[in-house]
Amino acid sequence: MGDPKQEQRDFFRAEDPASGPLTTDQGVPVDHTDDSLSAGERGPTLLEDFHFREKLTRFDHERIPERVVHARGAGAYGYFEPYESCAEFTRAAFLQDPAVRTPVFVRFSTVQGPKGSADTVRDVRGFATKFYTSEGNYDLVGNNFPVFFIQDGIKFPDFVHAVKPEPHNDIPTGASAHDSLWDFVSLQPETLHAIMWLMSDRAIPRSYRMMQGFGVHTFRFVNVDGKGTFVKFHWKPRLGAHSLVWDEAQECQGRDPDFNRRDLWDAIEAGEFPEWELGVQLVPEEDEFSFDFDLLDATKLIPEEQVPVRPIGRMVLDRNPENFFAETEQVAFHTANVVPGIDFTNDPLLQARNFSYLDTQLIRLGGPNFAQLPVNRPVAPVRTNQRDGYGQSTIHRGTNYFPNSLGGGCPAHAGADPHAFRHYTEKIDGATIRRRSPSFEDHYSQPALFWNSMADWEKQHIVAAFRFELGKVEARAVRARTVEHLAKVDGELAAEVARGIGVPGPAAVAEPASKLSSPALSLRSLRGDGSIRTRRIAVLVADGVDAAQVTSVREALAAEGALVEALAPVDGSVTGSDGERYAVDRALPTMASVLYDAVLLPGGPADTPSTAEDPDAMRFVRDAYRHGKPIAAVGSGVGVLAALEPQGLRLSAEFQQVLSDQGVVTDTTPGPASPEFAQAFVDAIAAHRHWDRPPLRC
Ligand code: HDE
C-alpha cells in the first residue's frame, strides 16, 4: 500500500544535489562560492555580485518565529489503523475499516522552553497528531497530562506569561521553578490539578515513546444519524509509561540536551517503531450531568474506573523526517481541523484554542498559504475559492467566487453528500454573560484523587518536586499561599511540603478533599508490554575483562531487544582475560549513567586493573544506584559494588548464587554468567526503577 504522504513529499523534493552543479535560486550555475566579486584582489565587494547578495539575503531570512509555546519538539511520520469499525459512535472515515491505514505526523514537544532548550526539563509534553484522512486532515493536539492548568482560554496569556521566564531577566530557561509561575498558581487554584501532574514523575518522561497522550477536552463523536456521544481521547504507549528521576533529569540537561529527541530518532532509525493504542472514554449525552464535575471543565479527568477506556486502534511511527525545518518546524496543528464525525463541545478552553491556532500560524508561517506546505497538505483533494497571499504555490484556474455560472458553478457545495462536514446541532439558550459556571468551582477534589492514587515513591517524588520548585521561589508569601491551597487538597502533603521550604504548615489538618483514588493514574499501572525493548544497557569494561561473561549477558539482553554498549576508559578496544582484543562502543568519559537504563559489571582476574579503581566508572555505578537503576555484577565485578558498601549500598552477604535485591543482581560464580543471572537482570530492567534502596551516604 503506497503512502500518499510519502508520494506527496517526493513530489515536492528538492533537486538531487548530485544531479548537477550548484546554482542560484534562478537555476543559473555558479562557478565559485568561496570568494565574493571584488574590484581587485584587495578591493571592495561589488554590488553586481548577485550570487553573493542572494546567498547572504537568503541566510539573513532563514529563521521564522518559533512557537510561542511548544517551541522545542521532535516529529515523526507513521500510520494509524482502527481495530474495528466505530460507526456506532462516529462517521469519521478513518475510524471505520481496520484495512485502511491513515498516514499520520506526530510532533512531541516541551512547552516552556525556547527552541534550543534542553529536553529533560520538568514540563508538560505536547503530543500532537495530524491524521491525513481521506476526508481531510484531523488534528488531535494533546498533551501527556489529561488535564490543563486553566479552565477558560482567556486566562491562557496570563498563565503562559507566568510560566515563561521572568520578563526582566529572561530567567529561567525551560523551568517552572520561579516566582511568577507560583504566584499565579497560588492565586488561581484551578491550576492545582495540573500542578500535581507537573510535580509528579509524568513531567520528566524517560522517552517520548514511553508516555501517555490525552486529548484533554471532552470532544464529541457524531454518527451517521447525527447522534452525538461525548468522547475523551487517550494514547497508551506499548512500551509502558516510564519516567526519569529529577536529579537524573537535571544532569541529563547537560550531558545530552537532546536526550528525548535523540531517543525518538534513534529508535525509528533502528527499526524499533514506537507504538501507541488509541482509546476512548465514551459518555452518552444523556449522562452529561451524572458526574460530580463538569465534562466541559478541562481541569478534570474522568476516572478510568468510572468510564473505562475502550481501545479503538493503534498508531505506529515508522519514519523520521528528512528535513527538520521543512517538516517538524513547519507543521501546523489546529484543534479546529476536524473531519465529519468529530465535533467540539462548549469547553471554553477548547473554544479559545479553536481561535488561537490558525491565528498563530498566520504569523509563524508568514501568511495564509501554509496548508500548501508538504507536511500540512491534506491527501484529500482541496478545492476552494481562497486565493493569493504570501507564498501562494498553487496555480489556480477559473473562477474564484460562489455562486458562479462562468465556472460551471464549481466547486459546488457538497450539499447532501454524506461526506460533507455538518456542524453538530446543539440547542443553545443563554444570556450574554462573563461568568464561570458554578459547576467549575471545585478545584481540590481531583488533585486529592491524583494524590491518593500515587504509590509511596510517587508521593515522595511529588513532595520533593514541590520543595524544589517552591524552594526556588524568593517571595515567602507565595510559598505560604501555595501551601494553604495544598492543605485544602491533603493535609499530609501540605505539611510535608511546608517542612521542606521553611513556611508554617497548615494550622489545622482538614479532611482530604477526596478519599477516592484511581489506580489507573499511577505509573505502577502503566507497564505496557513489560518488555525491555530499546532499553540502553552499559557494560563497563577494562583490560583484563572476562569477555565470556560479557558475551553471555549481552546475548541474553540483545535477544530481548535491549541495546547494549561496552564502555571502556578509552575508545577502541580492550584486551580480554583470554588475551583477545574486544571492540569498545564508547569511551566512558564521553558518556554518563544518566544516558543508560541499567549497568552491567563483568569480572576479570583479580590482578588486572579493576573498574573499582576508575573514578569515572565508580561515579557511573553510584549514579545508577542513586537513580534506582538496575545494576548487575558478575564474577569479580561484584567487588566493584562491594567497594560501595561502606557508603550504604546494600549487598547480600551470600555471593555464591544469583541474588536479586532491589534491582541489584549479583552472581560471583566464576565463568560465563548463568541464564538465571541474565533473566534476573532482564526482570530488573523490565521493572524500570527500584525505589526502596537505602540511600548512599555520598
Ligand atoms: Fe496549545 N497552543 N493552547 N494547548 N498546544 C499552541 O500553536 C493555546 C492547550 C498544544 O507541536 C500554539 O502552533 C491556547 C491545551 C500542543 O506544533 C498556540 C490554549 C493543550 C501544541 C496554542 C492552549 C495544548 C500547542 C503555539 C488555551 C493540550 C504544539 C504554536 C485556550 C490539550 C503543537 C502553535 C505543535 C501549541 C494556543 C491550551 C496542546 C499559541 C490559546 C489545553 C501539543 O496556538
Side-chain angles (χ1 to χ4, degrees):
M1 195 183 331
D3 176 347
K5 222 37 218 170
Q6 174 75 53
E7 286 161 19
Q8 199 183 73
R9 209 172 43 142
D10 290 346
F11 178 77
F12 283 97
R13 179 172 276 134
E15 279 295 323
D16 176 2
S19 66
L22 180 76
T23 71
T24 66
D25 277 351
Q26 307 305 318
V28 177
V30 171
D31 65 331
H32 187 118
T33 194
D34 291 338
D35 296 290
S36 44
L37 189 70
S38 57
E41 277 176 1
R42 302 180 62 250
T45 304
L46 295 176
L47 203 57
E48 178 183 328
D49 187 351
F50 56 83
H51 171 54
F52 157 79
R53 286 201 327 269
E54 180 190 84
K55 189 172 172 183
L56 261 73
T57 305
R58 290 300 307 266
F59 172 73
D60 294 344
H61 293 262
E62 277 181 5
R63 290 293 167 272
I64 62 171
E66 64 176 36
R67 289 164 175 83
V68 56
V69 281
H70 296 268
R72 181 174 179 78
Y77 291 94
Y79 60 86
F80 172 82
E81 53 195 13
Y83 292 147
E84 57 189 0
S85 171
C86 299
E88 187 186 346
F89 305 106
T90 175
R91 56 193 288 219
F94 77 106
L95 294 175
Q96 304 302 318
D97 182 355
V100 173
R101 278 188 171 181
T102 298
V104 299
F105 184 81
V106 174
R107 183 172 179 274
F108 302 106
S109 48
T110 56
V111 178
Q112 197 263 19
K115 194 168 166 294
S117 53
D119 279 352
T120 60
V121 293
R122 179 176 293 286
D123 201 353
V124 192
R125 299 300 185 283
F127 189 143
T129 308
K130 190 179 282 295
F131 298 80
Y132 304 94
T133 90
S134 60
E135 294 177 324
N137 286 356
Y138 168 54
D139 293 352
L140 180 55
V141 197
N143 276 347
N144 74 330
F145 298 177
V147 289
F148 200 64
F149 297 87
I150 46 167
Q151 296 173 318
D152 188 320
I154 199 169
K155 296 300 301 165
F156 192 65
D158 298 300
F159 166 66
V160 173
H161 287 171
V163 72
K164 282 275 181 179
E166 305 263 337
H168 60 296
N169 58 7
D170 198 37
I171 294 174
T173 298
S176 46
H178 60 111
D179 282 51
S180 56
L181 185 255
W182 289 95
D183 186 30
F184 182 80
V185 167
S186 70
L187 297 169
Q188 199 77 41
E190 73 198 56
T191 55
L192 281 176
H193 191 190
I195 285 289
M196 292 295 291
W197 283 77
L198 187 67
M199 294 302 104
S200 79
D201 290 356
R202 299 293 189 117
I204 34 174
R206 153 68 180 83
S207 160
Y208 286 143
R209 303 175 294 122
M210 300 172 196
M211 64 182 200
Q212 276 182 290
F214 302 90
V216 175
H217 311 281
T218 303
F219 291 90
R220 203 186 308 260
F221 268 164
V222 185
N223 72 10
V224 79
D225 302 321
K227 184 173 168 20
T229 305
F230 292 118
V231 56
K232 286 213 181 247
F233 293 104
H234 296 243
W235 290 114
K236 274 204 178 133
R238 187 168 64 84
L239 293 173
H242 304 287
S243 290
L244 303 173
V245 283
W246 182 225
D247 179 74
E248 174 190 24
Q250 289 178 92
E251 190 184 332
C252 232
Q253 291 172 27
R255 295 277 185 178
D256 185 3
D258 301 298
F259 184 75
N260 290 139
R261 305 201 313 172
R262 190 189 308 281
D263 168 274
L264 179 68
W265 181 275
D266 286 354
I268 294 175
E269 288 301 295
E272 290 285 351
F273 301 139
E275 185 175 327
W276 287 260
E277 184 163 72
L278 181 64
V280 288
Q281 285 178 299
L282 298 170
V283 178
E285 294 212 328
E286 312 77 87
D287 295 347
E288 177 171 8
F289 300 108
S290 58
F291 299 89
D292 55 5
F293 55 87
D294 197 322
L295 285 181
L296 303 185
D297 175 356
T299 68
K300 306 295 186 297
L301 54 82
I302 311 179
E304 287 184 34
E305 294 75 10
Q306 210 168 339
V307 177
V309 177
R310 173 180 172 144
I312 62 168
R314 71 178 192 124
M315 175 172 77
V316 177
L317 298 181
D318 61 359
R319 182 156 53 89
N320 278 320
E322 281 176 291
N323 183 292
F324 182 87
F325 179 84
E327 299 164 280
T328 309
E329 193 60 16
Q330 292 200 110
V331 67
F333 294 97
H334 185 10
T335 47
N337 288 349
V338 288
V339 289
I342 301 183
D343 215 313
F344 315 114
T345 61
N346 298 329
D347 171 346
L349 199 68
L350 176 58
Q351 301 273 322
R353 295 181 76 197
N354 285 345
F355 164 76
S356 185
Y357 287 70
L358 175 57
D359 188 40
T360 207
Q361 316 302 1
L362 290 175
I363 181 82
R364 192 170 71 80
L365 298 170
N369 288 315
F370 57 84
Q372 295 174 16
L373 296 167
V375 70
N376 295 324
R377 209 179 172 87
V379 298
V382 176
R383 301 176 208 94
T384 77
N385 287 322
Q386 267 88 263
R387 290 292 184 271
D388 308 343
Y390 286 111
Q392 179 61 258
S393 61
T394 307
I395 301 173
H396 292 103
R397 293 180 204 92
T399 56
N400 54 4
Y401 55 92
F402 188 88
N404 71 67
S405 67
L406 300 179
C410 298
H413 287 173
D417 182 337
H419 296 294
F421 188 94
R422 258 177 290 279
H423 285 273
Y424 181 73
T425 311
E426 189 179 15
K427 189 170 179 313
I428 306 287
D429 184 13
T432 312
I433 190 169
R434 198 187 277 282
R435 196 169 64 212
R436 199 76 55 93
S437 165
S439 56
F440 281 42
E441 262 168 20
D442 172 11
H443 304 317
Y444 302 101
S445 302
Q446 287 219 344
L449 170 85
F450 183 71
W451 174 252
N452 297 341
S453 312
M454 297 291 103
D456 283 348
W457 54 269
E458 289 176 305
K459 286 185 171 177
Q460 284 163 18
H461 292 175
I462 290 172
V463 169
F466 269 114
R467 287 178 172 186
F468 180 94
E469 298 266 317
L470 288 166
K472 299 263 185 190
V473 170
E474 302 294 337
R476 296 266 157 175
V478 168
R479 296 187 186 189
R481 216 161 42 222
T482 307
V483 168
E484 280 166 30
H485 284 300
L486 293 183
K488 293 183 195 163
V489 175
D490 186 281
E492 179 201 333
L493 164 67
E496 281 292 299
V497 172
R499 227 161 36 81
I501 58 170
V503 301
V509 178
E511 278 286 293
S514 169
K515 293 203 167 120
L516 299 176
S517 71
S518 166
L521 298 178
S522 167
L523 284 170
R524 276 175 308 189
S525 68
L526 293 162
R527 304 294 286 274
D529 62 9
S531 79
I532 65 163
R533 289 209 79 78
T534 72
R535 292 311 187 116
R536 291 168 56 84
I537 320 300
V539 188
L540 304 192
V541 298
D543 284 333
V545 65
D546 184 336
Q549 283 176 350
V550 176
T551 307
S552 54
V553 186
R554 197 170 184 152
E555 280 171 0
L557 295 174
E560 300 284 333
L563 308 167
V564 187
E565 289 185 344
L567 274 54
V570 290
D571 216 335
S573 59
V574 291
T575 308
S577 55
D578 54 3
E580 298 288 320
R581 305 288 298 169
Y582 291 95
V584 164
D585 296 298
R586 293 174 195 278
L588 183 56
T590 66
M591 304 306 282
S593 161
V594 294
L595 306 178
Y596 293 89
D597 292 291
V599 55
L600 170 68
L601 303 166
D607 55 352
T608 55
S610 158
T611 300
E613 284 148 29
D614 178 349
D616 284 338
M618 290 315 284
R619 179 176 172 184
F620 198 107
V621 180
R622 253 198 320 269
D623 284 350
Y625 184 85
R626 288 192 307 120
H627 298 147
K629 292 181 183 175
I631 303 175
V634 60
S636 60
V638 177
V640 178
L641 288 182
L644 289 175
E645 273 195 302
Q647 291 172 26
L649 181 139
R650 184 173 60 203
L651 214 50
S652 176
E654 219 180 320
F655 284 160
Q656 291 310 313
Q657 52 184 328
V658 175
L659 285 169
S660 180
D661 183 12
Q662 276 296 315
V664 179
V665 186
T666 50
D667 186 0
T668 50
T669 324
S674 66
E676 294 76 34
F677 173 81
Q679 188 57 49
F681 191 28
V682 167
D683 293 344
I685 300 167
H688 184 58
R689 297 295 165 98
H690 302 269
W691 304 116
D692 292 333
R693 292 174 176 171
L696 288 187
R697 281 187 286 280
C698 66

